[in-house]
């Protein structure tokens, strides 16, 4: 999406869930309904950060429905234990034109996010991912995923 002026404030929401998240309340909302809600709120960029899943089909459809009105970035939200009852949630965001099929096919098995893993671990509310594993995976796969680490340097 090209903008004629560079210094114009736009609304971005880089932490958005969809019905693909296990705890999303409005499971009956359509992808078009999501796009309509975001565009009516004048949001120009959203990052889809569903819990422990990248719903590739939904993300691609949202990107197609939003074309020209809204940029949809693929992403994922993960949860990491700190010990006891404390947890940290962290989001991974990817470029709009990323090969999300490739990313998910490589990320899910390495972080044990496939349906059999979820079931074995006691369901989505019990999914914890070690931050170090995420960072190591990102560093190991940097050339393949064309990534940037948390410090902003090329990896």
């Amino acid at each position: 999406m090209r903008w004629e002026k560079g210094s114009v404030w736009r609304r971005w929401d880089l932490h958005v869930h969809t019905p693909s998240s296990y705890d999303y309340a409005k499971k009956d909302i359509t992808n078009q309904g999501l796009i309509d809600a975001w565009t009516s709120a004048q949001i120009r960029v959203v990052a889809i950060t569903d819990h422990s899943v990248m719903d590739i089909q939904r993300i691609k459809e949202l990107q197609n429905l939003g074309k020209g009105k809204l940029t949809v970035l693929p992403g994922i939200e993960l949860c990491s234990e700190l010990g006891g009852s404390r947890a940290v949630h962290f989001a991974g965001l990817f470029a709009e034109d990323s090969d999300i099929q490739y990313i998910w096919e490589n990320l899910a098995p390495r972080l044990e996010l496939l349906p059999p893993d979820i079931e074995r671990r006691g369901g989505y509310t019990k999914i914890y991912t070690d931050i170090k594993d995420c960072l190591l995976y990102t560093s190991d796969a940097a050339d393949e995923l064309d990534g940037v680490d948390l410090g902003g340097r090329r990896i």
Side-chain angles (χ1 to χ4, degrees), residues 16-21 24 26-39 46 48 50 55-67 69-70 72:
V16 171
H17 297 286
T18 72
S20 298
S21 279
Y24 195 81
K26 293 179 156 187
K27 291 286 188 185
D28 60 339
I29 193 166
T30 65
N31 289 338
Q32 185 63 57
L34 291 169
I35 294 293
D36 292 345
W38 297 327
T39 56
V46 296
I48 307 302
D50 288 318
D55 186 337
I56 296 158
Q57 188 173 7
R58 181 182 304 277
I59 293 169
K60 286 181 178 181
E61 184 176 340
L62 288 168
Q63 287 175 327
N64 285 331
L65 290 170
K67 253 193 200 359
K69 303 177 279 190
L70 174 75
V72 177

Side-chain angles (χ1 to χ4, degrees), residues 8-148:
V8 176
W9 287 97
R10 291 181 180 80
R11 291 183 182 184
W12 290 34
D13 190 339
L14 300 180
H15 183 194
V16 171
H17 297 286
T18 72
S20 298
S21 279
Y22 71 89
D23 59 348
Y24 195 81
K26 293 179 156 187
K27 291 286 188 185
D28 60 339
I29 193 166
T30 65
N31 289 338
Q32 185 63 57
L34 291 169
I35 294 293
D36 292 345
W38 297 327
T39 56
S40 72
Q42 299 180 340
I43 296 172
R44 298 304 303 255
V45 178
V46 296
I48 307 302
T49 55
D50 288 318
H51 291 278
S52 304
V53 67
M54 291 180 74
D55 186 337
I56 296 158
Q57 188 173 7
R58 181 182 304 277
I59 293 169
K60 286 181 178 181
E61 184 176 340
L62 288 168
Q63 287 175 327
N64 285 331
L65 290 170
K67 253 193 200 359
K69 303 177 279 190
L70 174 75
T71 298
V72 177
L73 303 174
I76 188 169
E77 181 177 356
L78 300 168
C79 183
S80 182
E81 277 188 297
L82 286 178
S85 62
R86 303 182 76 198
V88 171
H89 291 242
F90 55 102
L93 308 180
F94 299 92
E96 176 186 15
D97 59 353
S98 295
D99 184 346
I100 56 176
Q101 179 79 37
Y102 177 82
I103 292 169
W104 180 243
E105 285 175 358
N106 285 276
L107 184 71
R110 291 182 191 197
L111 299 180
E112 298 182 342
L113 299 174
L114 295 171
D117 301 319
I118 303 296
E119 187 176 322
R120 178 180 48 78
R121 293 165 76 180
Y124 281 101
T125 60
K126 305 289 185 198
I127 299 301
Y128 296 102
T129 304
D130 190 316
I131 292 174
K132 290 179 197 169
D133 289 345
C134 290
L135 294 176
L136 287 173
Y137 167 70
T138 304
S139 296
D140 289 346
D143 288 336
E144 299 170 37
L145 300 180
D146 197 26
V148 175

